[in-house]
Amino acid sequence: MDAPSTDPLLSLRRSIASNRPPIPTASPAPTPPSDAIENLAVATHLQFADPEHISFPLDTLTRFISSDKPVDLRSIYFAWQKKDVAIPDYIASAQKLNEELYGTTGVGSRVQNLVFVERLDLITWLEGASEESEYIKALESDVAAARSAQVASGAAGGISAAPSSTAGARAGKTIDPRLREIYNGERRMGDRNSVLRGIKPTDFSHIRKTAEIFLGRNRPRPGAHPPSSTGATAPSTVPNTSSLVSLPKKPSRRPDPIILLSPSASSLLRMSNIKSFLEAGTYIPPDGAGAGSSGATATILHISRLLPSIDASRPLRFILVDTPDQFKPDYWSRLVAVFTTGQTWQFRGYKWQSPPELFRHVLGIYVGWRSEEVPATVRGWGRGVSSAQIEKWNAHQGVQGRWRDREVVEGIWDRVEESMRAKGWGNEGGPAMMGGR
């Protein structure tokens, strides 16, 4: 008999390719397809009819290796039957079949549950989409043929040639012309070793010349090492940094301080009007026509302010948001002020959700109408909350009558500057960079 007739794996693969699947039976005798036994717990043999009748016991061990052990034909055929089901269904079906096998035989036979990679590799090989499998051991006849070919070619006794990895799979099967066309169109992929090998040598001497310019090897160096006793000048690998000393030092990137606004609809200051208030010193109702259209939909704003006692040469850029949802852990050390309306639900999601604790770490700012009293809840939070009052909006006067707003805004900035300085802010950064809290 040829190899497919004696090997259950090749017989199963050829029957699948010819669209004549095998028949589970209860005996090795020829059985018509109408008498096939679908229950693998009852069946004992797997019968093939192409090109000639042959029957294998379902307990036959195959060349498919899993966990260093050969897998029996029943497990192989069961995996093929369940090739289109999901992994949980496959596992459940295997467990059910094992229970039926135990009830039928009592001991012995059981279906081996192949892991996903093994099952995928097996199905791919059985369908003919792959000519090799890392889990299928080569036939002895193919190994002997490959060894004979080495001897005939003179490779034996010297450097052995690598045997064809597809010899075992191609033996006894004619590749479908459509598959052959697909294989011919495939592009061979390289690994890191083949990709890094070029087809010609490359001269990188120009890089060395460019590097000498930056390293200053061609320039005289003050304070260089004196010549050695042999008269030769000792080469120095220390770069010339004399030309770099005079360059101004690039200022370090300091973190931007953060100001949190209240998301409450009753707040006088929201994302739509906070920028005009803190930058221009003019209050505009958040829903008024003069409020910024971009600020109404923006989730983050930036304003710059020079705080002389912190950095007299560079303005600080402040980030304004109305929610800490996107905060990273280090952002809380950059929080310098919280605008509040006195509603405690605002502090849900904060690092410090208790108002007294929050305003021990961060300056609180309450802005209300001049004719109204500061809420008792705000007064009860202590000295950590600073209150400011502005004139009520007069639609007839508009911004023309808002000359007192500038004084209120300057007072707010003074308190922010004083709080930041007390908490360790300086020209190099905030408390997190300077070893603060």
Side-chain angles (χ1 to χ4, degrees):
M1 291 187 179
D2 59 355
S5 299
T6 58
D7 183 73
L9 280 181
L10 290 178
S11 297
L12 179 57
R13 186 182 188 191
R14 186 164 64 179
S15 68
I16 294 172
S18 62
N19 201 22
R20 298 185 63 181
I23 303 171
T25 64
S27 68
T31 304
S34 58
D35 295 337
I37 300 176
E38 298 298 334
N39 190 348
L40 293 183
V42 179
T44 59
H45 290 73
L46 197 62
Q47 175 182 299
F48 299 88
D50 183 29
E52 58 184 11
H53 173 269
I54 187 172
S55 182
F56 294 98
L58 287 173
D59 294 334
T60 302
L61 297 180
T62 67
R63 294 182 291 117
F64 193 91
I65 307 300
S66 174
S67 301
D68 298 329
K69 295 180 181 180
V71 181
D72 62 286
L73 183 58
R74 179 183 279 104
S75 301
I76 297 293
Y77 183 66
F78 177 76
W80 163 254
Q81 284 185 318
K82 303 298 181 181
K83 61 185 179 68
D84 296 324
V85 303
I87 296 177
D89 296 335
Y90 167 71
I91 296 175
S93 299
Q95 184 177 1
K96 180 180 178 181
L97 180 55
N98 283 331
E99 292 175 355
E100 294 178 357
L101 283 169
Y102 182 81
T104 302
T105 62
V107 292
S109 301
R110 66 181 304 273
V111 169
Q112 182 172 344
N113 183 10
L114 302 179
V115 298
F116 173 77
V117 177
E118 296 173 343
R119 188 161 66 108
L120 179 63
D121 189 89
L122 172 65
I123 293 171
T124 303
W125 185 83
L126 289 175
E127 289 181 336
S130 173
E131 293 301 318
E132 58 183 359
S133 171
E134 62 176 301
Y135 298 102
I136 297 179
K137 184 179 179 181
L139 289 169
E140 293 295 336
S141 57
D142 293 329
V143 175
R147 189 180 298 112
S148 300
Q150 290 181 3
V151 175
S153 62
I159 300 177
S160 59
S164 173
S165 60
T166 60
R170 294 181 185 274
K173 174 175 174 59
T174 302
I175 301 178
D176 188 286
R178 291 172 298 178
L179 284 176
R180 187 187 302 277
E181 184 178 355
I182 294 175
Y183 294 152
N184 292 337
E186 290 181 347
R187 179 169 61 91
R188 184 175 297 276
M189 302 297 292
D191 57 11
R192 58 176 183 151
N193 294 321
S194 61
V195 170
L196 292 176
R197 288 191 174 90
I199 59 175
K200 60 181 180 180
T202 304
D203 183 14
F204 293 101
S205 60
H206 64 284
I207 297 179
R208 184 183 305 167
K209 295 179 181 178
T210 304
E212 288 178 353
I213 297 176
F214 290 98
L215 297 177
R217 290 178 177 175
N218 295 332
R219 301 177 185 177
R221 294 185 293 274
H225 295 288
S228 61
S229 57
T230 58
T233 302
S236 174
T237 58
V238 180
N240 180 21
T241 58
S242 60
S243 60
L244 302 179
V245 174
S246 60
L247 295 178
K249 182 179 179 181
K250 183 179 179 180
S252 59
R253 178 72 170 89
R254 64 185 175 194
D256 297 332
I258 301 173
I259 296 177
L260 265 173
L261 305 181
S262 171
S264 174
S266 62
S267 176
L268 299 184
L269 296 172
R270 301 208 294 269
M271 295 293 286
S272 57
N273 65 343
I274 186 64
K275 195 165 186 178
S276 64
F277 184 71
L278 292 180
E279 277 192 336
T282 302
Y283 176 79
I284 300 174
D287 300 325
S293 58
S294 61
T297 58
T299 58
I300 182 172
L301 295 173
H302 299 90
I303 61 174
S304 295
R305 175 80 180 190
L306 184 66
L307 303 181
S309 65
I310 294 178
D311 192 338
S313 60
R314 286 186 295 165
L316 281 84
R317 190 179 79 151
F318 289 81
I319 298 176
L320 283 78
V321 292
D322 61 359
T323 173
D325 291 346
Q326 303 298 324
F327 270 30
K328 296 179 181 178
D330 63 299
Y331 284 10
W332 292 104
S333 63
R334 294 161 50 186
L335 183 64
V336 296
V338 174
F339 281 82
T340 180
T341 59
Q343 297 165 299
T344 56
W345 61 262
Q346 172 188 349
F347 311 128
R348 296 172 187 169
Y350 280 31
K351 179 179 179 181
W352 307 283
Q353 297 186 12
S354 170
E357 183 183 6
L358 170 65
F359 298 123
R360 281 199 301 268
H361 294 86
V362 183
L363 172 68
I365 301 175
Y366 170 81
V367 178
W369 297 127
R370 188 178 298 274
S371 59
E372 296 180 357
E373 189 175 351
V374 178
T377 55
V378 176
R379 295 197 308 268
W381 290 340
R383 299 170 58 185
V385 181
S386 178
S387 300
Q389 293 178 308
I390 59 177
E391 300 289 341
K392 279 194 174 183
W393 175 258
N394 189 321
H396 297 288
Q397 293 182 355
V399 296
Q400 302 300 327
R402 307 300 305 180
W403 55 273
R404 289 186 177 179
D405 292 345
R406 168 62 68 180
E407 180 182 356
V408 175
V409 171
E410 292 300 324
I412 291 176
W413 278 120
D414 288 343
R415 293 164 204 156
V416 171
E417 182 177 5
E418 180 183 356
S419 175
M420 292 178 62
R421 186 174 64 251
K423 289 178 170 58
W425 283 84
N427 57 359
E428 296 297 330
M433 296 184 62
M434 302 178 64
R437 66 176 193 270

